[in-house]
Amino acid sequence: MPSSSTHVIPTPSPTTATENSQTPSSNNATIKHASSSLEISSLSSSPTPTTSASPSQPTTAATPPTPTIVPTPTTSPTPAQTSIPNLTPAPAPASVPVSSPSSATTAPQSNNKKKNKKNKNKNKKGQKQNSGDTNQPSAQITQSSHVNNAATSSSSSSPSSSNTITPSSSSASIDGSDVLALIRQESSLRRPTASVTKNTQDSGVSTSDQKIAIGYLHVNNGKYKEAIAYFTQMLDSNPMLLGGYLGRGTAFAMVNDLGHAYHDFVQAVHVDPTCADAWKRKAQASSAMGFFSEALMDLTQAIILSKDTDAESYYQRGLVHYKEKNYRRAMNDFKQTVRIDKFHKLAWNHMGLALNAMGQGRESMAAHKVATQIDQDFKEAWTNMAAAARELGRAEEAMSLFNHALEIDPKYVDALHLRGLLMFGTGQHQLAVGDLSAALKVRPSHADCRSVRAVVCHGIGNYSQAVSDYTILVESQPTHTAWYQRECALFVYAHVDDPIESFNFDFAMDPHFKEGWCKRHPPASLNKFGYKPQPSLPVACRDVEYRSTARDDAMKQVVEFGVGLGELLQYNTDGFLRNRRQFRMAGLAALDMAQRLRNDVWRMKTFPRTGTLDTQPFMVPGTGSSSSQKPHPFGWRDLFDIPVRWRQHSEPNDPVWWVDLLSPEQFREGFGSHTPIITGQTNVIRYYPMFAWSFGLMKEQMLLQHKLSPQQKETVKAATQCRELYDIMRKDFYIWTPCHSIARPGQKMEGTRLTIQLAPPEGYEYSIRTPGTPDRWAEYDREMAYAYEKLTEAVTKEGADIAEALDWILTLAFYWYNFMPLTRGSAASGYVTVMGVLLSLGYKIDAPIPQGIQPDWEGILRPTPADFIAS
């Protein structure tokens, strides 16, 4: 259902491979450092050949450390991000001759290069750029920039001087069908037998090779300080020793000293510009420090030098594209990886992650399945497959896959976290608490687990645990949105035994507080408005007693009826989990509304009514109303206050507020409900089915609302992609959908805005944005009041007809969907109102919403109530 982009629980990042993650056809086992997220190939330059291990057997080197999976707060899955440590100058090794002065300049700096500024804008909070000259590594290297087209090096000493460096093939459309075809070709995957790999880093001197092998043994056994000292001694004697720089750089990387690692890999490239491995490792260090453009160029150079035979270079370049959210290019590189090495389980796993990030969940699951066929104990791939199923709304399948991952490792935190999130999303809060608590027992610092557990406990009335978790989050990060949720929990606790109509959540909470939560402002920003925090919990806090069943048969009957009614709210399309808690909320809200209308507002025992009509209006006390705190006749807004109130309290993760009760400044500016259909290179699973219809409407209105040349008009008519329309306008733009007035015949209002915005890298955001300005509010308030008045007349008149009443019920819903007057929850509240009003007349919707239909979109994209009703 359309919603504003004010989610509070961060979307967990996909799980990346960690343990025993060597590719079976290579002896270069990937080691991922837990704190740096830098991936460095293990060193195997011993004088004797090394045998690679199969996925089911441990590598001959020490077991790599398990990395920390850092969930990222975004609506779409993103890779684990790394904080960039301070870069300190490396100890000056003996000078290395450089054949041309043009081949060496200062190391890349994010504060004086336009390209790095662009990178900084593209990266999320977890990705930081180096910002100071004093902490730059002392290595010398040319700053490269990644452009969509091919780029060439200008250095005469560079190995690329005679080659065109071509980044991964351009952003051709990835529709998943080619991936499924590729997967079918590899359907008979079997684990490969061990193979012998020739050492490629011999120095040509047997004694030096033996010494290098000892240093590499230190690295592979985790003795990084000893390795650094050992290689430093060797380099003091021979500053042209390639293996020495590669070995010491890797040791530095494994202790998270990226500055020195980067320095050594630069020196390795200068010693031997034809060494593909040196370019690859330099790229890995650059990527870990956030210098993605340079990393892409270096990896492209490694691919050229390896003559298109090195799967690992393609894989590493795919990872960099993935970090930049350039999923199409990442997909191309992962496909090249498995073309060279079809048993590269990490590439299959990341191919699945990229597909899921692009909104292709089924194809994603197929790719992860191949990874699990290569390694049946690949718990990360099982978990990612489960996460893709969850994104598709396939709860039972996701549960089975999460369970399998946890059979492999019962203490696997990421599977526990994501399974807990699945339980939360399906309304099984007690089970969610169990999983999240188990994860926190293993890793108490897991902020996202604690955040979700706090919300779940808040929702079931376990206020002591919720406030405790919120407080831990705020103390560790003062700007965390948990501060807002803690304030709401404290307020609700203080009123938990009060009649729900004795207060109004919207009026009770400070307008600037509500705006701050929606926009994720730092809590300290409220100080200038004189915000007064909620009182703390009492020492003897009494939590709500949890009951698995209703306390008596009468209540059980009411709850079961409510759940059955609420199930009809479920959208039968990808991306929507079946949430029993929300079903219960919707059904009870509809019952609440039906009772209020029948007993108090319309005062009818039957429909059509019999007897004399009581013409005295029902007066709302005002205390529980969002329209006025004074007594007033029951109106359309009081009707919608009922489901809104249920929605606010059923899901404390969502800031559900009436837009006109945000701060006056925000209301004048126009708070916008925002629902993306495409964001960057992601087709949003829930809403992308609306693309074709809405895009056709956008083209139609673009021809009417924008001045275009005849040639541009023809281009618009033929367009099938956002890029084609953006290229015409050459800027971000929108069209507004027409919404015809029924209160003022002949008048046309602005419905919503279909918007196209450039979204680097190589993507666009296509979304609906509905502004809530005072003028627009007044227009829709008039329509809602008129429709509600006509509905009341149709219901209460003698000889009332259900068909006429239904038309006015749907007319009210049509304008509500176009109005979008809430920060979140407008779609659910609208359909609950339809169910509740019908129920008050003795009618019950008894069929689910048809497959592929989303009632709110049916209203938003149609111009008149008649069109909506006919649909």
Side-chain angles (χ1 to χ4, degrees):
M1 303 173 193
S3 60
S4 62
S5 55
T6 53
H7 295 281
V8 176
I9 290 182
T11 300
S13 67
T15 308
T16 52
T18 59
E19 301 172 316
N20 297 332
S21 55
Q22 71 274 13
T23 53
S25 61
S26 169
N27 64 325
N28 288 340
T30 299
I31 299 176
K32 184 171 181 181
H33 194 276
S35 58
S36 70
S37 295
L38 170 67
E39 297 188 4
I40 297 292
S41 301
S42 69
L43 302 162
S44 56
S45 296
S46 57
T48 56
T50 305
T51 303
S52 65
S54 70
S56 60
Q57 298 171 336
T59 177
T60 54
T63 302
T66 302
T68 301
I69 309 298
V70 185
T72 312
T74 67
T75 56
S76 58
T78 57
Q81 305 297 341
T82 174
S83 297
I84 305 305
N86 291 330
L87 304 182
T88 54
S95 60
V96 178
V98 179
S99 59
S100 170
S102 64
S103 66
T105 61
T106 57
Q109 300 177 13
S110 65
N111 61 338
N112 65 355
K113 292 291 182 181
K114 293 182 179 179
K115 207 62 183 175
N116 274 335
K117 287 182 180 179
K118 291 182 179 179
N119 279 343
K120 184 174 181 180
N121 291 333
K122 288 189 288 186
N123 296 338
K124 296 296 182 184
K125 293 181 181 178
Q127 302 169 342
K128 301 178 183 176
Q129 298 284 343
N130 183 24
S131 59
D133 294 334
T134 58
N135 286 331
Q136 290 287 51
S138 59
Q140 305 290 303
I141 185 164
T142 303
Q143 165 65 31
S144 58
S145 60
H146 175 230
V147 186
N148 292 340
N149 300 319
T152 54
S153 171
S154 60
S155 169
S156 60
S157 65
S158 169
S160 63
S161 57
S162 61
N163 295 294
T164 298
I165 300 179
T166 319
S168 53
S169 56
S170 185
S171 54
S173 175
I174 304 292
D175 64 3
S177 59
D178 56 340
V179 177
L180 291 177
L182 180 63
I183 291 171
R184 282 194 289 270
Q185 292 173 13
E186 309 300 346
S187 60
S188 59
L189 281 171
R190 294 291 184 273
R191 291 174 178 168
T193 56
S195 60
V196 177
T197 305
K198 185 180 183 298
N199 168 34
T200 60
Q201 294 176 1
D202 293 344
S203 65
V205 182
S206 59
T207 302
S208 295
D209 289 339
Q210 292 173 358
K211 291 181 178 180
I212 290 173
I214 294 173
Y216 287 177
L217 186 62
H218 285 320
V219 175
N220 287 336
N221 286 330
K223 298 180 179 179
Y224 304 125
K225 291 183 179 179
E226 292 89 338
I228 290 169
Y230 186 85
F231 283 123
T232 298
Q233 186 177 18
M234 293 183 68
L235 290 167
D236 286 344
S237 301
N238 183 2
M240 297 297 290
L241 192 61
L242 173 65
Y245 288 116
L246 293 176
R248 190 174 69 175
T250 300
F252 276 131
M254 298 311 293
V255 296
N256 207 27
D257 189 344
L258 300 182
H260 287 100
Y262 176 85
H263 173 279
D264 277 351
F265 296 143
V266 169
Q267 298 294 0
V269 167
H270 285 173
V271 169
D272 184 1
T274 66
C275 177
D277 195 44
W279 287 96
K280 180 166 59 179
R281 291 170 191 256
K282 176 173 169 285
Q284 292 168 334
S286 297
S287 175
M289 292 189 292
F291 302 128
F292 297 138
S293 296
E294 177 169 349
L296 291 170
M297 296 298 287
D298 289 348
L299 287 164
T300 300
Q301 187 61 47
I303 290 169
I304 292 172
L305 291 170
S306 65
K307 301 186 185 302
D308 197 32
T309 60
D310 183 16
E312 194 64 22
S313 291
Y314 274 116
Y315 172 66
Q316 292 291 336
R317 192 171 69 177
L319 291 181
V320 178
H321 283 311
Y322 185 84
K323 288 180 181 178
E324 288 197 300
K325 302 187 186 304
N326 199 332
Y327 304 122
R328 297 190 190 102
R329 289 185 182 272
M331 272 297 304
N332 288 334
D333 278 344
F334 296 143
K335 287 163 65 179
Q336 290 298 322
T337 304
V338 299
R339 174 185 61 82
I340 299 169
D341 176 8
K342 67 181 180 180
F343 300 105
H344 199 301
K345 68 176 186 180
L346 303 184
W348 285 108
N349 184 48
H350 261 92
M351 188 185 296
L353 293 174
L355 286 164
N356 197 42
M358 290 191 290
Q360 300 182 39
R362 291 172 177 79
E363 294 80 1
S364 168
M365 292 181 69
H368 288 307
K369 185 174 182 179
V370 174
T372 62
Q373 289 173 344
I374 296 171
D375 179 0
Q376 294 180 3
D377 294 330
F378 195 177
K379 63 184 180 183
E380 294 83 4
W382 286 106
T383 300
N384 288 328
M385 198 188 328
R390 173 181 167 272
E391 289 292 313
L392 286 167
R394 291 152 63 166
E396 292 183 3
E397 188 172 2
M399 176 61 70
S400 175
L401 293 166
F402 281 132
N403 291 345
H404 189 88
L406 287 166
E407 286 174 4
I408 297 170
D409 181 358
K411 294 184 178 180
Y412 184 34
V413 169
D414 298 293
L416 287 168
H417 170 218
L418 293 172
R419 191 174 71 175
L421 206 56
L422 173 65
M423 294 296 93
F424 169 66
T426 54
Q428 302 176 77
H429 283 39
Q430 292 293 332
L431 293 176
V433 170
D435 274 350
L436 297 165
S437 297
L440 286 169
K441 187 175 181 179
V442 178
R443 193 187 304 167
S445 62
H446 199 301
D448 284 343
C449 273
R450 192 169 299 280
S451 178
V452 181
R453 188 176 72 173
V455 169
V456 172
C457 289
H458 183 169
I460 59 178
N462 187 349
Y463 298 107
S464 56
Q465 183 64 65
V467 170
S468 174
D469 281 339
Y470 287 143
T471 300
I472 291 172
L473 292 166
V474 172
E475 287 177 348
S476 63
Q477 184 184 344
T479 59
H480 200 290
T481 54
W483 182 87
Y484 289 98
Q485 292 163 298
R486 184 179 63 181
E487 289 292 284
C488 290
L490 292 170
F491 173 84
V492 173
Y493 176 81
H495 294 81
V496 71
D497 290 324
D498 297 340
I500 197 168
E501 291 185 348
S502 67
F503 65 94
N504 182 271
F505 207 9
D506 259 292
F507 270 116
M509 303 306 290
D510 185 281
H512 294 98
F513 170 90
K514 294 183 290 184
E515 177 189 342
W517 186 13
C518 290
K519 293 193 168 185
R520 297 172 179 246
H521 289 164
S525 66
L526 298 182
N527 293 339
K528 62 184 177 182
F529 301 112
Y531 178 77
K532 296 181 180 180
Q534 298 292 324
S536 301
L537 287 179
V539 176
C541 173
R542 294 178 57 197
D543 292 324
V544 175
E545 180 184 355
Y546 177 78
R547 294 175 181 269
S548 59
T549 59
R551 64 175 179 264
D552 55 46
D553 290 341
M555 182 60 70
K556 182 178 180 181
Q557 186 178 1
V558 170
V559 171
E560 288 179 350
F561 180 84
V563 171
L565 185 63
E567 285 181 335
L568 300 172
L569 187 74
Q570 179 68 31
Y571 283 7
N572 188 13
T573 187
D574 285 349
F576 292 93
L577 289 168
R578 295 181 60 83
N579 189 319
R580 183 174 176 82
R581 179 181 172 88
Q582 292 305 308
F583 293 161
R584 188 183 304 120
M585 175 278 297
L588 294 177
L591 274 172
D592 189 3
M593 180 182 293
Q595 291 172 346
R596 175 51 51 89
L597 288 173
R598 171 170 286 204
N599 297 334
D600 299 325
V601 180
W602 293 332
R603 305 182 186 95
M604 298 187 308
K605 294 183 178 180
T606 60
F607 176 83
R609 72 173 178 85
T610 57
T612 305
L613 175 67
D614 185 349
T615 58
Q616 292 298 317
F618 172 70
M619 299 299 292
V620 178
T623 52
S625 174
S626 69
S627 59
S628 173
Q629 291 288 279
K630 298 179 180 179
H632 58 272
F634 188 93
W636 74 264
R637 184 152 175 171
D638 299 296
L639 177 68
F640 281 89
D641 265 338
I642 297 171
V644 170
R645 191 159 48 228
W646 282 90
R647 181 69 172 80
Q648 286 174 327
H649 292 290
S650 70
E651 185 44 81
N653 183 48
D654 295 339
V656 179
W657 311 112
W658 289 89
V659 170
D660 66 330
L661 295 181
L662 298 177
S663 69
E665 302 87 354
Q666 181 60 55
F667 185 41
R668 286 194 297 270
E669 180 183 329
F671 182 93
S673 172
H674 170 219
T675 305
I677 300 171
I678 298 173
T679 175
Q681 296 183 14
T682 300
N683 296 339
V684 179
I685 289 178
R686 287 185 171 190
Y687 308 123
Y688 188 72
M690 301 299 147
F691 174 77
W693 181 11
S694 63
F695 196 70
L697 179 58
M698 184 170 205
K699 294 196 300 178
E700 173 189 313
Q701 293 300 318
M702 192 174 171
L703 296 172
L704 300 174
Q705 297 176 23
H706 292 277
K707 293 182 179 179
L708 304 173
S709 68
Q711 183 177 357
Q712 288 174 327
K713 289 181 179 180
E714 291 305 313
T715 302
V716 168
K717 293 176 182 178
T720 59
Q721 301 178 34
C722 295
R723 173 182 56 79
E724 295 167 286
L725 299 187
Y726 190 93
D727 287 347
I728 292 173
M729 303 303 295
R730 298 178 179 272
K731 62 179 181 181
D732 298 343
F733 73 100
Y734 70 88
I735 62 93
W736 53 271
T737 61
C739 179
H740 294 263
S741 169
I742 198 168
R744 298 164 298 149
Q747 297 294 312
K748 189 185 298 183
M749 304 180 296
E750 179 179 312
T752 191
R753 294 176 180 179
L754 291 169
T755 306
I756 293 180
Q757 297 170 286
L758 188 66
E762 302 177 8
Y764 300 87
E765 178 170 291
Y766 177 59
S767 62
I768 60 171
R769 293 174 179 266
T770 307
T773 59
D775 289 344
R776 187 176 184 278
W777 193 278
E779 281 190 320
Y780 277 91
D781 178 65
R782 186 182 298 115
E783 300 300 319
M784 296 295 292
Y786 182 84
Y788 177 73
E789 180 183 351
K790 290 296 184 182
L791 170 61
T792 300
E793 291 177 4
V795 167
T796 58
K797 71 181 182 180
E798 288 191 49
D801 176 57
I802 186 59
E804 181 184 1
L806 180 58
D807 282 352
W808 285 112
I809 293 170
L810 295 177
T811 297
L812 194 67
F814 169 81
Y815 286 113
W816 172 265
Y817 288 142
N818 279 274
F819 192 1
M820 286 287 168
L822 305 177
T823 56
R824 282 185 62 82
S826 293
S829 299
Y831 202 71
V832 167
T833 300
V834 172
M835 292 193 298
V837 177
L838 279 171
L839 196 62
S840 74
L841 304 179
Y843 290 86
K844 176 179 175 288
I845 298 175
D846 60 2
I849 297 171
Q851 185 171 4
I853 297 296
Q854 299 187 33
D856 46 323
W857 286 88
E858 295 288 324
I860 291 168
L861 298 179
R862 296 187 187 277
T864 69
D867 291 319
F868 175 62
I869 294 169
S871 71

